Amino acid sequence: MPIASPEVYAEMLDRAKAGAFAYPAINVTSSQTLNAALRGFAEAESDGIVQVSTGGAEYLSGPTVKDMVTGSAAFAAFAAEVAKNYPVNIALHTDHCPKNKLDGFVRPLLAISKERVARGEAPLFQSHMWDGSAVPLDENLQIAEELLADAAAAHVVLEIEVGVVGGEEDGIVGAIDEKLYTTVEDGLATVAALGLGEKGRYMAALTFGNVHGVYKPGNVKLRPEILKEIQDAVGAKYGKEKPLDLVFHGGSGSLLEEIRAALDYGVVKMNIDTDTQYAFTRPVVSHMFTQYDGVLKIDGEVGNKKAYDPRAWGKAAEEGMGKRVVEACEHLRSVGTSLSK
């Protein structure tokens, strides 16, 4: 199927919240990791989201080029072509973008999408994230309001972050402190600034103890009940049940009951990167260890071309990552929910 249209993406998000499930949002950095994600979604019969971070976009443009817009446009074009061969709907998203990279990443991509929409074409991406967690809330929401207007004009969904996700991702570091927990007041301020859809559709990454990367259980206390408190407070004020479309960041190492509680409270998208990175790399390690004398030309020998052909270990890597995507769909209750069924 083709990449999800704005209308299909909206229906995906609506169905997820109504059904208390969420879509895995898989970070990709190459055609191989993209293909692995698509394979996993197809096997799970789940629609899904694939996304690129600022670092991923740079890498996709070529490690010596490092142009985020070029990498993003190339990724979107490739994804639009290969996704046609899979029986699920896929949305394209750009991940964390801090203030100092807006002009080199999100704003140019929004401009491209506005031009495409004006020509009667689909936007390049279906959603973009503005990560204002490092600036004061007032400034965060002011920039969000400006971006939301541009996103709405481009038929694109905006994702924002209110609160701080701890740990590090692509050079963005969040301290592990009280800001890991978004407050009810933060939630109310967000809706006061951005509305509930009348200014454009957005998703909110509200934080409840989330940390990027790998951590052992108990190192950080996740409190998904915070999401319910904010949904209830906003809902009471505006007369809506679960009014916010929520996003779960930093989920690696989370307990299944914590994930499921977040789904019940309105999470429709959960970012997955660390776990799928490992799932992709681990089979490569096995291949190199077991095919040691084939992938290396040892003691004057010629090695084994079939062993060091990148397709040999690449297929194993894609299979490993694809299985982890299926597992994510199972955790998030999205298995068998594709609109195409």
Side-chain angles (χ1 to χ4, degrees), residues 18-41:
F21 66 89
Y23 299 105
I26 307 299
N27 279 76
V28 300
T29 54
S30 65
S31 60
Q32 284 189 303
T33 49
L34 168 64
N35 285 332
L38 295 175
R39 171 181 179 165
F41 285 126

Side-chain angles (χ1 to χ4, degrees), residues 106 110 128 130 141-160 190-191 193-203:
V106 167
L110 281 173
H128 294 291
W130 147 236
L141 295 178
Q142 179 184 350
I143 293 173
E145 191 170 7
E146 296 168 359
L147 290 171
L148 185 59
D150 288 335
H155 300 176
V156 168
V157 176
L158 182 69
E159 180 183 332
I160 64 168
T190 297
V191 177
L194 304 183
L196 286 174
E198 65 274 13
K199 295 183 179 182
R201 185 158 193 167
Y202 66 93
M203 298 180 281

Side-chain angles (χ1 to χ4, degrees), residues 168-238:
E168 185 271 337
E169 182 176 54
D170 270 356
I172 302 172
V173 180
I176 298 177
D177 55 25
E178 71 281 354
K179 291 182 180 179
L180 292 181
Y181 304 97
T182 307
T183 67
V184 168
E185 291 73 24
D186 294 339
L188 290 169
T190 297
V191 177
L194 304 183
L196 286 174
E198 65 274 13
K199 295 183 179 182
R201 185 158 193 167
Y202 66 93
M203 298 180 281
L206 306 182
T207 58
F208 51 100
N210 321 58
V211 174
H212 285 133
V214 181
Y215 60 93
K216 294 181 180 180
N219 185 45
V220 174
K221 174 63 177 175
L222 287 177
R223 295 172 52 202
E225 66 273 11
I226 285 176
L227 302 180
K228 183 178 187 302
E229 293 170 4
I230 295 172
Q231 290 276 40
D232 288 349
V234 174
K237 182 169 182 178
Y238 293 92

Side-chain angles (χ1 to χ4, degrees), residues 43-340:
E43 290 178 358
E45 297 183 315
S46 170
D47 298 327
I49 301 168
V50 290
Q51 59 189 23
V52 292
S53 63
T54 55
E58 283 188 346
Y59 186 76
L60 281 158
S61 74
T64 61
V65 176
K66 294 185 176 182
D67 185 293
M68 293 181 287
V69 175
T70 296
S72 298
F75 156 74
F78 184 82
E81 194 60 36
V82 296
K84 295 175 184 177
N85 298 307
Y86 294 88
V88 290
N89 298 286
I90 299 296
L92 306 182
H93 177 79
T94 61
D95 201 9
H96 293 272
C97 181
K99 181 181 177 181
N100 66 336
K101 293 187 177 180
L102 281 173
D103 288 341
F105 191 38
V106 167
R107 287 191 175 114
L109 292 175
L110 281 173
I112 291 172
S113 286
K114 282 201 283 187
E115 292 172 1
R116 288 169 61 96
V117 168
R119 296 195 299 265
E121 302 172 11
L124 191 64
F125 282 79
Q126 285 62 61
S127 51
H128 294 291
M129 182 186 179
W130 147 236
D131 183 353
S133 60
V135 301
L137 182 61
D138 288 348
E139 183 181 4
N140 181 353
L141 295 178
Q142 179 184 350
I143 293 173
E145 191 170 7
E146 296 168 359
L147 290 171
L148 185 59
D150 288 335
H155 300 176
V156 168
V157 176
L158 182 69
E159 180 183 332
I160 64 168
E161 184 169 308
V162 178
V164 174
V165 176
E168 185 271 337
E169 182 176 54
D170 270 356
I172 302 172
V173 180
I176 298 177
D177 55 25
E178 71 281 354
K179 291 182 180 179
L180 292 181
Y181 304 97
T182 307
T183 67
V184 168
E185 291 73 24
D186 294 339
L188 290 169
T190 297
V191 177
L194 304 183
L196 286 174
E198 65 274 13
K199 295 183 179 182
R201 185 158 193 167
Y202 66 93
M203 298 180 281
L206 306 182
T207 58
F208 51 100
N210 321 58
V211 174
H212 285 133
V214 181
Y215 60 93
K216 294 181 180 180
N219 185 45
V220 174
K221 174 63 177 175
L222 287 177
R223 295 172 52 202
E225 66 273 11
I226 285 176
L227 302 180
K228 183 178 187 302
E229 293 170 4
I230 295 172
Q231 290 276 40
D232 288 349
V234 174
K237 182 169 182 178
Y238 293 92
K240 293 186 177 182
E241 183 179 359
K242 290 196 295 189
L244 294 169
D245 297 335
L246 302 181
V247 180
F248 187 159
H249 285 247
S252 298
S254 300
L255 300 176
L256 185 57
E257 57 262 36
E258 295 170 335
I259 294 173
R260 294 281 172 81
L263 302 184
D264 292 338
Y265 302 147
V267 165
V268 296
K269 171 179 180 281
M270 178 173 168
N271 289 16
I272 300 173
D273 187 14
T274 303
D275 289 350
T276 45
Q277 285 178 343
Y278 184 77
F280 184 86
T281 301
R282 184 64 182 84
V284 180
V285 175
S286 294
H287 179 87
M288 298 305 171
F289 282 163
T290 58
Q291 303 287 330
Y292 185 78
D293 57 351
V295 297
L296 295 177
K297 297 181 179 181
I298 301 171
D299 297 329
E301 295 297 324
V302 296
N304 182 349
K305 183 179 184 299
K306 291 183 178 179
Y308 60 73
D309 183 333
R311 290 170 293 184
W313 51 262
K315 290 175 183 177
E318 289 184 30
E319 181 181 5
M321 182 173 163
K323 289 180 178 178
R324 183 61 183 84
V325 173
V326 172
E327 181 182 339
C329 293
E330 292 169 348
H331 289 170
L332 298 181
R333 302 175 179 150
S334 71
V335 172
T337 64
S338 175
L339 290 171
S340 64

